[in-house]
Amino acid sequence: MAQFRSLLFTPASRPDRFDRALASGADAVCLDLEDAVAPPDKATARSAALDYLARRPAGQVKVGLRLNGRTSPWFDDDLRAAANARADFFMIPKASGAQEFAMLQRALGEARPFWPLVETPEGLMRAWEIAAAPAVGGVLFGAFDYSAEVGCEMSWEPLLFARSQIAAACARAGVEALDAPPAAVNDDEALAAETDRARRLGFTGRACIHPSQVAPINAAYTPSAEDLARAQAVVTAFDTAAGGPALLDGKLIELPVARAARRILERARG
């Protein structure tokens, strides 16, 4: 399964933006039926998204659909429509447990991955089982809703525990972990700093809400030539030692270090 460095949310009520979203450089685009669409526009947005998915141009950019929540009045219509949609994946808001995905598999099939959003305390409590649920391709941290539910600030320190739990749960399950979109559209310094922090924490990519955020996020999650050279040197030294401890530039190379280096090389290969 391809890794998403960047995922761009686009309101499904704005079909004039769909082609631009696909041309933004994002690895994935998600047509949003939920938060980005006002209640009176839900039906029109759903029709616009399904029409675009049916005729979208072929390409490497994955295009998904974010449904409305299970408890919303629009979920049943979304689910019926999604069964025949040409979407590559489905975003599931406010995931609360692994039991939801059996129902979703029955309705939507097993061929396309689900991306649950962990954005409530209940969802965070069950993040480990959600990440490991059948057909889950990755988990997105819904920081905006989570901070509102908890009553904490939308800043790094108050959300560090939640991010750490999600990153660890996804690593254990072997699925991707996407960080929440940046809150500010025009703050390049904060975007770079927060994205780098999340990457170092274990996140594999980040969502965004504006095309201008795509390139910096892609850059943060693309290993540099120096990173790749160092990772290759670590792997070579470890393999030369036949799996035993090795020294490289005076530093001990053991299995965990070699595994981290291999992840960097795998990320570069996409």
Side-chain angles (χ1 to χ4, degrees):
M1 186 180 299
Q3 178 172 301
F4 297 164
R5 297 168 302 172
S6 55
L7 180 146
L8 176 61
F9 279 107
T10 302
S13 55
R14 293 297 304 271
D16 57 307
R17 297 181 182 178
F18 293 172
D19 284 336
R20 278 187 289 163
L22 263 67
S24 67
D27 293 331
V29 169
C30 187
L31 306 182
D32 188 5
L33 298 175
E34 194 208 15
D35 287 347
V37 179
D41 300 328
K42 295 289 188 181
T44 303
R46 187 186 306 114
S47 296
L50 293 177
D51 178 65
Y52 186 77
L53 288 168
R55 59 180 175 80
R56 67 185 169 101
Q60 294 187 345
V61 179
K62 300 294 185 182
V63 184
L65 192 65
R66 175 155 75 165
L67 310 184
N68 285 283
R70 285 187 307 119
T71 60
S72 76
W74 309 285
F75 176 74
D76 290 341
D77 288 338
D78 283 356
L79 198 62
R80 281 191 290 270
N84 297 314
R86 284 188 55 219
D88 295 313
F89 61 91
F90 298 106
M91 282 271 176
I92 311 300
K94 293 182 174 58
S96 59
Q99 73 282 352
E100 300 173 30
F101 298 98
M103 177 273 291
L104 290 168
Q105 278 188 302
R106 289 193 298 272
L108 302 175
E110 301 180 8
R112 295 167 293 182
F114 301 122
W115 278 78
L117 281 91
V118 170
E119 47 191 342
T120 64
E122 182 181 12
L124 184 65
M125 181 177 67
R126 297 190 172 93
W128 296 80
E129 66 180 63
I130 290 171
V136 167
V139 174
L140 173 62
F141 178 37
F144 296 92
D145 283 88
Y146 180 83
S147 64
E149 292 266 352
V150 173
C152 68
E153 291 184 1
M154 263 288 296
S155 56
W156 183 261
E157 287 79 8
L159 297 174
L160 178 57
F161 173 75
R163 281 190 167 98
S164 299
Q165 287 288 305
I166 292 168
C170 290
R172 177 179 178 270
V175 300
E176 298 184 54
L178 289 189
D179 195 17
V185 172
N186 297 316
D187 193 340
D188 294 341
E189 184 176 343
L191 171 63
E194 289 177 1
T195 304
D196 183 64
R197 281 178 168 181
R199 180 190 60 78
R200 289 187 283 119
L201 198 63
F203 280 83
T204 59
R206 188 171 193 182
C208 44
I209 55 175
H210 193 276
S212 66
Q213 298 168 336
V214 171
I217 290 173
N218 282 349
Y221 282 99
T222 301
S224 66
E226 182 180 351
D227 293 335
L228 293 174
R230 173 67 184 177
Q232 187 59 64
V234 166
V235 170
T236 300
F238 186 75
D239 289 346
T240 300
L247 282 177
L248 179 65
D249 299 332
K251 295 182 179 179
L252 185 64
I253 305 298
E254 294 184 303
L255 180 59
V257 178
R259 288 179 61 193
R262 292 188 199 279
R263 280 198 298 271
I264 292 173
L265 297 175
E266 290 167 3
R267 192 162 72 240
R269 287 193 289 267

mmCIF file of all heavy atoms in Angstrom, residues 108-150:
data_model
loop_
_atom_site.group_PDB
_atom_site.id
_atom_site.type_symbol
_atom_site.label_atom_id
_atom_site.label_comp_id
_atom_site.label_asym_id
_atom_site.label_seq_id
_atom_site.Cartn_x
_atom_site.Cartn_y
_atom_site.Cartn_z
ATOM 1 N N LEU A 108 -19.372 -1.815 2.282
ATOM 2 C CA LEU A 108 -18.489 -1.225 1.277
ATOM 3 C C LEU A 108 -17.491 -2.209 0.685
ATOM 4 O O LEU A 108 -16.757 -1.849 -0.240
ATOM 5 C CB LEU A 108 -17.733 -0.033 1.887
ATOM 6 C CG LEU A 108 -18.611 1.093 2.446
ATOM 7 C CD1 LEU A 108 -17.756 2.150 3.115
ATOM 8 C CD2 LEU A 108 -19.451 1.714 1.343
ATOM 9 N N GLY A 109 -17.426 -3.422 1.234
ATOM 10 C CA GLY A 109 -16.479 -4.400 0.726
ATOM 11 C C GLY A 109 -15.127 -4.297 1.409
ATOM 12 O O GLY A 109 -14.896 -3.426 2.250
ATOM 13 N N GLU A 110 -14.236 -5.201 1.038
ATOM 14 C CA GLU A 110 -12.928 -5.282 1.688
ATOM 15 C C GLU A 110 -11.799 -4.767 0.814
ATOM 16 O O GLU A 110 -10.656 -4.715 1.253
ATOM 17 C CB GLU A 110 -12.640 -6.738 2.073
ATOM 18 C CG GLU A 110 -13.662 -7.341 3.014
ATOM 19 C CD GLU A 110 -13.338 -8.783 3.370
ATOM 20 O OE1 GLU A 110 -12.245 -9.249 2.998
ATOM 21 O OE2 GLU A 110 -14.173 -9.428 4.026
ATOM 22 N N ALA A 111 -12.099 -4.395 -0.436
ATOM 23 C CA ALA A 111 -11.032 -4.065 -1.372
ATOM 24 C C ALA A 111 -10.400 -2.706 -1.096
ATOM 25 O O ALA A 111 -9.236 -2.481 -1.414
ATOM 26 C CB ALA A 111 -11.561 -4.114 -2.802
ATOM 27 N N ARG A 112 -11.166 -1.780 -0.520
ATOM 28 C CA ARG A 112 -10.662 -0.425 -0.322
ATOM 29 C C ARG A 112 -10.472 -0.141 1.161
ATOM 30 O O ARG A 112 -11.343 -0.459 1.967
ATOM 31 C CB ARG A 112 -11.630 0.577 -0.950
ATOM 32 C CG ARG A 112 -11.711 0.442 -2.462
ATOM 33 C CD ARG A 112 -12.869 1.208 -3.048
ATOM 34 N NE ARG A 112 -14.166 0.664 -2.665
ATOM 35 C CZ ARG A 112 -15.316 1.149 -3.097
ATOM 36 N NH1 ARG A 112 -15.317 2.187 -3.908
ATOM 37 N NH2 ARG A 112 -16.462 0.607 -2.718
ATOM 38 N N PRO A 113 -9.342 0.446 1.529
ATOM 39 C CA PRO A 113 -9.043 0.635 2.951
ATOM 40 C C PRO A 113 -9.900 1.716 3.603
ATOM 41 O O PRO A 113 -10.358 2.660 2.949
ATOM 42 C CB PRO A 113 -7.571 1.034 2.949
ATOM 43 C CG PRO A 113 -7.339 1.628 1.609
ATOM 44 C CD PRO A 113 -8.237 0.888 0.669
ATOM 45 N N PHE A 114 -10.084 1.553 4.905
ATOM 46 C CA PHE A 114 -10.746 2.558 5.728
ATOM 47 C C PHE A 114 -9.682 3.371 6.463
ATOM 48 O O PHE A 114 -8.654 2.845 6.884
ATOM 49 C CB PHE A 114 -11.677 1.902 6.754
ATOM 50 C CG PHE A 114 -12.741 1.052 6.135
ATOM 51 C CD1 PHE A 114 -12.856 -0.288 6.449
ATOM 52 C CD2 PHE A 114 -13.628 1.594 5.229
ATOM 53 C CE1 PHE A 114 -13.837 -1.082 5.877
ATOM 54 C CE2 PHE A 114 -14.615 0.815 4.645
ATOM 55 C CZ PHE A 114 -14.715 -0.530 4.969
ATOM 56 N N TRP A 115 -9.966 4.659 6.627
ATOM 57 C CA TRP A 115 -9.103 5.540 7.398
ATOM 58 C C TRP A 115 -9.933 6.149 8.530
ATOM 59 O O TRP A 115 -10.598 7.170 8.334
ATOM 60 C CB TRP A 115 -8.541 6.642 6.500
ATOM 61 C CG TRP A 115 -7.347 6.205 5.711
ATOM 62 C CD1 TRP A 115 -7.331 5.450 4.586
ATOM 63 C CD2 TRP A 115 -5.984 6.513 6.013
ATOM 64 N NE1 TRP A 115 -6.050 5.262 4.154
ATOM 65 C CE2 TRP A 115 -5.196 5.902 5.009
ATOM 66 C CE3 TRP A 115 -5.349 7.241 7.017
ATOM 67 C CZ2 TRP A 115 -3.813 5.997 4.991
ATOM 68 C CZ3 TRP A 115 -3.976 7.335 7.003
ATOM 69 C CH2 TRP A 115 -3.210 6.725 5.999
ATOM 70 N N PRO A 116 -9.941 5.526 9.695
ATOM 71 C CA PRO A 116 -10.669 6.109 10.818
ATOM 72 C C PRO A 116 -9.986 7.352 11.356
ATOM 73 O O PRO A 116 -8.756 7.466 11.340
ATOM 74 C CB PRO A 116 -10.646 4.989 11.865
ATOM 75 C CG PRO A 116 -9.474 4.143 11.494
ATOM 76 C CD PRO A 116 -9.325 4.235 10.018
ATOM 77 N N LEU A 117 -10.798 8.276 11.817
ATOM 78 C CA LEU A 117 -10.288 9.452 12.522
ATOM 79 C C LEU A 117 -10.454 9.230 14.018
ATOM 80 O O LEU A 117 -11.564 8.988 14.495
ATOM 81 C CB LEU A 117 -11.045 10.716 12.113
ATOM 82 C CG LEU A 117 -10.641 11.338 10.777
ATOM 83 C CD1 LEU A 117 -11.478 10.774 9.645
ATOM 84 C CD2 LEU A 117 -10.787 12.859 10.835
ATOM 85 N N VAL A 118 -9.363 9.312 14.741
ATOM 86 C CA VAL A 118 -9.412 9.272 16.196
ATOM 87 C C VAL A 118 -9.484 10.722 16.667
ATOM 88 O O VAL A 118 -8.514 11.471 16.563
ATOM 89 C CB VAL A 118 -8.187 8.551 16.776
ATOM 90 C CG1 VAL A 118 -8.128 8.732 18.295
ATOM 91 C CG2 VAL A 118 -8.238 7.062 16.427
ATOM 92 N N GLU A 119 -10.654 11.118 17.167
ATOM 93 C CA GLU A 119 -10.866 12.523 17.503
ATOM 94 C C GLU A 119 -11.743 12.706 18.740
ATOM 95 O O GLU A 119 -12.295 13.791 18.958
ATOM 96 C CB GLU A 119 -11.460 13.270 16.312
ATOM 97 C CG GLU A 119 -12.619 12.582 15.624
ATOM 98 C CD GLU A 119 -12.995 13.229 14.295
ATOM 99 O OE1 GLU A 119 -12.614 14.392 14.055
ATOM 100 O OE2 GLU A 119 -13.684 12.567 13.497
ATOM 101 N N THR A 120 -11.870 11.656 19.546
ATOM 102 C CA THR A 120 -12.602 11.741 20.805
ATOM 103 C C THR A 120 -11.818 10.972 21.873
ATOM 104 O O THR A 120 -10.999 10.108 21.545
ATOM 105 C CB THR A 120 -14.001 11.116 20.695
ATOM 106 O OG1 THR A 120 -13.861 9.706 20.427
ATOM 107 C CG2 THR A 120 -14.816 11.772 19.582
ATOM 108 N N PRO A 121 -12.058 11.253 23.167
ATOM 109 C CA PRO A 121 -11.406 10.461 24.202
ATOM 110 C C PRO A 121 -11.723 8.970 24.087
ATOM 111 O O PRO A 121 -10.855 8.123 24.329
ATOM 112 C CB PRO A 121 -11.963 11.058 25.503
ATOM 113 C CG PRO A 121 -12.300 12.469 25.143
ATOM 114 C CD PRO A 121 -12.789 12.403 23.728
ATOM 115 N N GLU A 122 -12.960 8.636 23.704
ATOM 116 C CA GLU A 122 -13.322 7.231 23.535
ATOM 117 C C GLU A 122 -12.520 6.595 22.407
ATOM 118 O O GLU A 122 -12.023 5.469 22.524
ATOM 119 C CB GLU A 122 -14.819 7.106 23.242
ATOM 120 C CG GLU A 122 -15.281 5.647 23.099
ATOM 121 C CD GLU A 122 -16.764 5.538 22.782
ATOM 122 O OE1 GLU A 122 -17.382 6.561 22.453
ATOM 123 O OE2 GLU A 122 -17.295 4.420 22.866
ATOM 124 N N GLY A 123 -12.375 7.333 21.311
ATOM 125 C CA GLY A 123 -11.580 6.812 20.209
ATOM 126 C C GLY A 123 -10.131 6.623 20.593
ATOM 127 O O GLY A 123 -9.494 5.625 20.212
ATOM 128 N N LEU A 124 -9.575 7.569 21.343
ATOM 129 C CA LEU A 124 -8.184 7.435 21.770
ATOM 130 C C LEU A 124 -8.012 6.235 22.689
ATOM 131 O O LEU A 124 -7.014 5.508 22.601
ATOM 132 C CB LEU A 124 -7.729 8.714 22.471
ATOM 133 C CG LEU A 124 -6.252 8.719 22.877
ATOM 134 C CD1 LEU A 124 -5.357 8.681 21.643
ATOM 135 C CD2 LEU A 124 -5.931 9.944 23.725
ATOM 136 N N MET A 125 -8.982 6.003 23.572
ATOM 137 C CA MET A 125 -8.917 4.868 24.487
ATOM 138 C C MET A 125 -8.847 3.555 23.715
ATOM 139 O O MET A 125 -8.210 2.590 24.157
ATOM 140 C CB MET A 125 -10.139 4.872 25.412
ATOM 141 C CG MET A 125 -10.171 3.737 26.420
ATOM 142 S SD MET A 125 -11.599 3.858 27.527
ATOM 143 C CE MET A 125 -12.956 3.561 26.386
ATOM 144 N N ARG A 126 -9.465 3.516 22.530
ATOM 145 C CA ARG A 126 -9.494 2.287 21.731
ATOM 146 C C ARG A 126 -8.622 2.395 20.476
ATOM 147 O O ARG A 126 -8.809 1.644 19.522
ATOM 148 C CB ARG A 126 -10.934 1.975 21.333
ATOM 149 C CG ARG A 126 -11.848 1.702 22.525
ATOM 150 C CD ARG A 126 -13.197 1.169 22.072
ATOM 151 N NE ARG A 126 -13.991 0.734 23.216
ATOM 152 C CZ ARG A 126 -14.870 1.498 23.859
ATOM 153 N NH1 ARG A 126 -15.064 2.745 23.458
ATOM 154 N NH2 ARG A 126 -15.558 1.037 24.888
ATOM 155 N N ALA A 127 -7.676 3.324 20.485
ATOM 156 C CA ALA A 127 -6.850 3.544 19.294
ATOM 157 C C ALA A 127 -6.085 2.291 18.876
ATOM 158 O O ALA A 127 -5.891 2.049 17.680
ATOM 159 C CB ALA A 127 -5.871 4.693 19.540
ATOM 160 N N TRP A 128 -5.669 1.480 19.834
ATOM 161 C CA TRP A 128 -4.884 0.292 19.517
ATOM 162 C C TRP A 128 -5.734 -0.718 18.749
ATOM 163 O O TRP A 128 -5.273 -1.319 17.768
ATOM 164 C CB TRP A 128 -4.325 -0.326 20.800
ATOM 165 C CG TRP A 128 -3.368 0.589 21.490
ATOM 166 C CD1 TRP A 128 -3.682 1.652 22.284
ATOM 167 C CD2 TRP A 128 -1.945 0.560 21.402
ATOM 168 N NE1 TRP A 128 -2.538 2.274 22.709
ATOM 169 C CE2 TRP A 128 -1.454 1.630 22.199
ATOM 170 C CE3 TRP A 128 -1.037 -0.268 20.753
ATOM 171 C CZ2 TRP A 128 -0.100 1.886 22.333
ATOM 172 C CZ3 TRP A 128 0.327 -0.021 20.898
ATOM 173 C CH2 TRP A 128 0.787 1.051 21.676
ATOM 174 N N GLU A 129 -6.983 -0.918 19.159
ATOM 175 C CA GLU A 129 -7.832 -1.867 18.441
ATOM 176 C C GLU A 129 -8.334 -1.276 17.133
ATOM 177 O O GLU A 129 -8.524 -1.999 16.142
ATOM 178 C CB GLU A 129 -9.012 -2.308 19.306
ATOM 179 C CG GLU A 129 -10.016 -1.220 19.629
ATOM 180 C CD GLU A 129 -11.179 -1.714 20.484
ATOM 181 O OE1 GLU A 129 -10.922 -2.142 21.626
ATOM 182 O OE2 GLU A 129 -12.322 -1.668 20.005
ATOM 183 N N ILE A 130 -8.534 0.037 17.087
ATOM 184 C CA ILE A 130 -8.962 0.678 15.845
ATOM 185 C C ILE A 130 -7.883 0.539 14.775
ATOM 186 O O ILE A 130 -8.162 0.176 13.625
ATOM 187 C CB ILE A 130 -9.301 2.162 16.095
ATOM 188 C CG1 ILE A 130 -10.590 2.290 16.919
ATOM 189 C CG2 ILE A 130 -9.424 2.927 14.783
ATOM 190 C CD1 ILE A 130 -10.885 3.701 17.397
ATOM 191 N N ALA A 131 -6.639 0.813 15.137
ATOM 192 C CA ALA A 131 -5.544 0.721 14.165
ATOM 193 C C ALA A 131 -5.380 -0.696 13.637
ATOM 194 O O ALA A 131 -4.987 -0.900 12.482
ATOM 195 C CB ALA A 131 -4.247 1.201 14.803
ATOM 196 N N ALA A 132 -5.683 -1.687 14.476
ATOM 197 C CA ALA A 132 -5.497 -3.082 14.094
ATOM 198 C C ALA A 132 -6.741 -3.710 13.471
ATOM 199 O O ALA A 132 -6.719 -4.894 13.120
ATOM 200 C CB ALA A 132 -5.074 -3.898 15.319
ATOM 201 N N ALA A 133 -7.810 -2.936 13.312
ATOM 202 C CA ALA A 133 -9.061 -3.482 12.776
ATOM 203 C C ALA A 133 -8.895 -3.877 11.314
ATOM 204 O O ALA A 133 -8.055 -3.326 10.602
ATOM 205 C CB ALA A 133 -10.185 -2.465 12.921
ATOM 206 N N PRO A 134 -9.691 -4.847 10.840
ATOM 207 C CA PRO A 134 -9.590 -5.285 9.443
ATOM 208 C C PRO A 134 -9.820 -4.140 8.462
ATOM 209 O O PRO A 134 -10.671 -3.278 8.683
ATOM 210 C CB PRO A 134 -10.715 -6.329 9.329
ATOM 211 C CG PRO A 134 -10.957 -6.794 10.720
ATOM 212 C CD PRO A 134 -10.691 -5.611 11.600
ATOM 213 N N ALA A 135 -9.027 -4.146 7.412
ATOM 214 C CA ALA A 135 -9.154 -3.207 6.289
ATOM 215 C C ALA A 135 -8.757 -1.774 6.620
ATOM 216 O O ALA A 135 -8.939 -0.880 5.786
ATOM 217 C CB ALA A 135 -10.573 -3.222 5.705
ATOM 218 N N VAL A 136 -8.207 -1.516 7.794
ATOM 219 C CA VAL A 136 -7.742 -0.176 8.120
ATOM 220 C C VAL A 136 -6.378 0.049 7.467
ATOM 221 O O VAL A 136 -5.443 -0.723 7.677
ATOM 222 C CB VAL A 136 -7.660 0.034 9.643
ATOM 223 C CG1 VAL A 136 -6.879 1.307 9.982
ATOM 224 C CG2 VAL A 136 -9.059 0.122 10.237
ATOM 225 N N GLY A 137 -6.281 1.111 6.655
ATOM 226 C CA GLY A 137 -5.017 1.429 6.007
ATOM 227 C C GLY A 137 -4.183 2.407 6.803
ATOM 228 O O GLY A 137 -2.968 2.496 6.630
ATOM 229 N N GLY A 138 -4.830 3.157 7.667
ATOM 230 C CA GLY A 138 -4.136 4.133 8.479
ATOM 231 C C GLY A 138 -5.116 4.867 9.370
ATOM 232 O O GLY A 138 -6.337 4.706 9.241
ATOM 233 N N VAL A 139 -4.580 5.666 10.269
ATOM 234 C CA VAL A 139 -5.396 6.425 11.221
ATOM 235 C C VAL A 139 -5.014 7.896 11.114
ATOM 236 O O VAL A 139 -3.831 8.242 10.998
ATOM 237 C CB VAL A 139 -5.178 5.925 12.663
ATOM 238 C CG1 VAL A 139 -5.911 6.814 13.669
ATOM 239 C CG2 VAL A 139 -5.630 4.480 12.803
ATOM 240 N N LEU A 140 -6.014 8.753 11.139
ATOM 241 C CA LEU A 140 -5.796 10.195 11.132
ATOM 242 C C LEU A 140 -6.166 10.759 12.494
ATOM 243 O O LEU A 140 -7.245 10.456 13.025
ATOM 244 C CB LEU A 140 -6.640 10.852 10.038
ATOM 245 C CG LEU A 140 -6.657 12.397 9.995
ATOM 246 C CD1 LEU A 140 -5.272 12.944 9.729
ATOM 247 C CD2 LEU A 140 -7.625 12.885 8.923
ATOM 248 N N PHE A 141 -5.290 11.573 13.052
ATOM 249 C CA PHE A 141 -5.566 12.229 14.324
ATOM 250 C C PHE A 141 -6.433 13.461 14.087
ATOM 251 O O PHE A 141 -6.043 14.385 13.379
ATOM 252 C CB PHE A 141 -4.261 12.636 15.007
ATOM 253 C CG PHE A 141 -4.439 13.371 16.309
ATOM 254 C CD1 PHE A 141 -5.460 13.029 17.201
ATOM 255 C CD2 PHE A 141 -3.580 14.403 16.665
ATOM 256 C CE1 PHE A 141 -5.626 13.702 18.403
ATOM 257 C CE2 PHE A 141 -3.728 15.070 17.873
ATOM 258 C CZ PHE A 141 -4.752 14.736 18.735
ATOM 259 N N GLY A 142 -7.634 13.469 14.662
ATOM 260 C CA GLY A 142 -8.542 14.610 14.550
ATOM 261 C C GLY A 142 -8.335 15.560 15.709
ATOM 262 O O GLY A 142 -9.121 15.571 16.671
ATOM 263 N N ALA A 143 -7.288 16.352 15.650
ATOM 264 C CA ALA A 143 -6.890 17.189 16.780
ATOM 265 C C ALA A 143 -7.921 18.254 17.116
ATOM 266 O O ALA A 143 -8.112 18.595 18.288
ATOM 267 C CB ALA A 143 -5.542 17.841 16.497
ATOM 268 N N PHE A 144 -8.606 18.793 16.110
ATOM 269 C CA PHE A 144 -9.565 19.874 16.365
ATOM 270 C C PHE A 144 -10.723 19.373 17.230
ATOM 271 O O PHE A 144 -11.072 19.974 18.252
ATOM 272 C CB PHE A 144 -10.096 20.433 15.044
ATOM 273 C CG PHE A 144 -9.034 21.095 14.198
ATOM 274 C CD1 PHE A 144 -8.346 20.371 13.251
ATOM 275 C CD2 PHE A 144 -8.725 22.435 14.366
ATOM 276 C CE1 PHE A 144 -7.363 20.967 12.475
ATOM 277 C CE2 PHE A 144 -7.753 23.044 13.601
ATOM 278 C CZ PHE A 144 -7.061 22.303 12.651
ATOM 279 N N ASP A 145 -11.326 18.266 16.817
ATOM 280 C CA ASP A 145 -12.445 17.722 17.587
ATOM 281 C C ASP A 145 -11.977 17.192 18.936
ATOM 282 O O ASP A 145 -12.671 17.346 19.951
ATOM 283 C CB ASP A 145 -13.126 16.610 16.792
ATOM 284 C CG ASP A 145 -14.010 17.147 15.688
ATOM 285 O OD1 ASP A 145 -13.500 17.370 14.576
ATOM 286 O OD2 ASP A 145 -15.203 17.365 15.928
ATOM 287 N N TYR A 146 -10.806 16.562 18.951
ATOM 288 C CA TYR A 146 -10.306 16.001 20.203
ATOM 289 C C TYR A 146 -10.076 17.110 21.240
ATOM 290 O O TYR A 146 -10.474 16.974 22.404
ATOM 291 C CB TYR A 146 -9.003 15.236 19.955
ATOM 292 C CG TYR A 146 -8.424 14.629 21.206
ATOM 293 C CD1 TYR A 146 -8.875 13.406 21.679
ATOM 294 C CD2 TYR A 146 -7.439 15.299 21.937
ATOM 295 C CE1 TYR A 146 -8.355 12.854 22.848
ATOM 296 C CE2 TYR A 146 -6.911 14.760 23.090
ATOM 297 C CZ TYR A 146 -7.371 13.540 23.551
ATOM 298 O OH TYR A 146 -6.861 13.012 24.709
ATOM 299 N N SER A 147 -9.454 18.195 20.830
ATOM 300 C CA SER A 147 -9.194 19.279 21.791
ATOM 301 C C SER A 147 -10.496 19.895 22.287
ATOM 302 O O SER A 147 -10.609 20.276 23.460
ATOM 303 C CB SER A 147 -8.305 20.352 21.157
ATOM 304 O OG SER A 147 -8.967 20.979 20.070
ATOM 305 N N ALA A 148 -11.494 19.967 21.409
ATOM 306 C CA ALA A 148 -12.794 20.502 21.835
ATOM 307 C C ALA A 148 -13.467 19.571 22.839
ATOM 308 O O ALA A 148 -14.083 20.027 23.812
ATOM 309 C CB ALA A 148 -13.693 20.712 20.618
ATOM 310 N N GLU A 149 -13.361 18.257 22.605
ATOM 311 C CA GLU A 149 -13.963 17.272 23.521
ATOM 312 C C GLU A 149 -13.283 17.308 24.889
ATOM 313 O O GLU A 149 -13.942 17.240 25.929
ATOM 314 C CB GLU A 149 -13.848 15.878 22.922
ATOM 315 C CG GLU A 149 -14.699 15.637 21.686
ATOM 316 C CD GLU A 149 -16.033 15.033 22.030
ATOM 317 O OE1 GLU A 149 -16.244 14.661 23.191
ATOM 318 O OE2 GLU A 149 -16.874 14.925 21.116
ATOM 319 N N VAL A 150 -11.962 17.396 24.881
ATOM 320 C CA VAL A 150 -11.199 17.346 26.136
ATOM 321 C C VAL A 150 -11.217 18.691 26.840
ATOM 322 O O VAL A 150 -11.160 18.772 28.069
ATOM 323 C CB VAL A 150 -9.752 16.892 25.845
ATOM 324 C CG1 VAL A 150 -8.875 16.999 27.083
ATOM 325 C CG2 VAL A 150 -9.749 15.456 25.322
#
